[in-house]
Amino acid sequence: MSKTQERVGTANSNGVPQHGQVAVPVTPPRVSARRRRPGVIALSLALIAAGGAGVAVLLLQVGNRTEVVTVVRDVQVGQVVTEDDLGKASIALDASVKAVRGSDLDSVVGKRAAVELKPGSLLAPSQVTKDSLVKAGEQLVPIGLKPEQVPATALVPGQKVQLVHVPAQGQAETGKSSTTPPETIDGRVVKASSAAPGTGIVVVDVATTAEEGPTAAAWVSAGTLRLVLAAPDGN
C-alpha cells in the first residue's frame, strides 16, 4: 500500500472506531463561486424599477377615481328619468369629460331626457332637461291608433309627424276633387303608450300649435285623422 494512502478503520456496532484504527475526516467538496454577470444584474434592477413604477401608477389611478352617474336602462327622448334608470361607477375621469357626479344623482332624477339614453353610458348634464316637450303656445292632442294604423317604426318622444285629414269611410269631402291634397297639421310626438291588451290600440300624445289643436281633436273625434311619420329633416 502506498504511503500516501490513509487507512480508514471500520466502526463497531456502536459507531466507535475499533482500537488501533483512526477515523479520517472527509473533506467537503469545493463549490466553485459563480461569476456575476453585469448584464443580468442590470436587467434585474430594470425589472424591479419597472415593477415599482407600475405599482405607483396603479396607486395614483386608484387614488384619483371619481364617482359618476351612469345609465342602466334605456330612456327615450322626453321620458322622465327615474332613480331606477341610473347607477353609479367609480372611474378615473379625464377633466375634459363632462359627467354628472355621483353626489348629484338626485338633481337629475325627475328631469326629462333631452336625448336618447343608452345603458352603459355616462350621464352628461346636457342630456337631461327640466323643460317639457310641450312648449309654450302648444296643445297636446291624444290620438288613438288601431293596430293597422300604428307605424312599424317605433314612435318615440320628439319624433316629427303629420296629422292627415281623410274623408270618413264611404264619403267624399265636399267641394274637393280627388287630386286636391288633404289637409295636414304638423305635430311632434310627446309620448306613445304600449298597445292596450285585447284591442292593440296605441295612444299617442302629439303636440301641435294652439290654433291647430282643436282642429286635430275634431278629426280624432270624427275618426278622420291619420298619423304619418315625417322625414328625419322635418320635410
Side-chain angles (χ1 to χ4, degrees):
M1 182 178 295
S2 172
K3 294 182 178 179
T4 59
Q5 294 180 338
E6 297 179 4
R7 296 173 59 190
V8 179
T10 59
N12 58 19
S13 61
N14 295 324
V16 180
Q18 297 179 359
H19 180 71
Q21 295 180 341
V22 179
V24 180
V26 179
T27 304
R30 297 180 60 186
V31 179
S32 59
R34 295 183 179 179
R35 297 179 58 188
R36 296 181 179 178
R37 298 179 182 178
V40 175
I41 295 176
L43 178 61
S44 301
L45 293 175
L47 290 174
I48 294 173
V55 172
V57 171
L58 181 60
L59 290 175
L60 274 175
Q61 290 180 344
V62 172
N64 291 333
R65 298 178 81 86
T66 303
E67 189 176 55
V68 295
V69 176
T70 61
V71 180
V72 298
R73 298 196 307 188
D74 285 303
V75 182
Q76 300 296 333
V77 179
Q79 184 176 334
V80 176
V81 179
T82 68
E83 190 171 355
D84 292 336
D85 299 325
L86 307 175
K88 293 182 181 181
S90 183
I91 63 173
L93 187 65
D94 189 276
S96 62
V97 177
K98 304 302 181 183
V100 178
R101 297 298 190 268
S103 57
D104 296 329
L105 185 146
D106 291 340
S107 67
V108 298
V109 172
K111 291 185 177 180
R112 296 181 181 274
V115 298
E116 186 178 1
L117 305 179
K118 287 294 185 181
S121 61
L122 300 182
L123 182 66
S126 61
Q127 292 179 321
V128 293
T129 178
K130 61 181 180 180
D131 299 328
S132 171
L133 287 183
V134 181
K135 302 176 183 178
E138 293 183 334
Q139 290 186 345
L140 198 64
V141 180
I143 303 171
L145 300 179
K146 297 177 181 178
E148 64 271 16
Q149 297 174 329
V150 179
T153 301
L155 295 170
V156 296
Q159 193 170 34
K160 294 181 179 180
V161 296
Q162 277 191 332
L163 308 182
V164 183
H165 183 228
V166 298
Q169 189 173 5
Q171 297 181 359
E173 290 187 289
T174 305
K176 292 186 178 181
S177 66
S178 58
T179 59
T180 303
E183 294 181 70
T184 61
I185 294 175
D186 292 332
R188 186 180 65 260
V189 175
V190 174
K191 185 177 180 180
S193 71
S194 301
T199 63
I201 292 178
V202 173
V203 178
V204 185
D205 292 340
V206 178
T208 67
T209 63
E211 293 77 14
E212 296 173 318
T215 301
W219 293 351
V220 172
S221 177
T224 58
L225 182 147
R226 296 294 182 269
L227 184 145
V228 178
L229 297 181
D233 58 0
N235 297 326

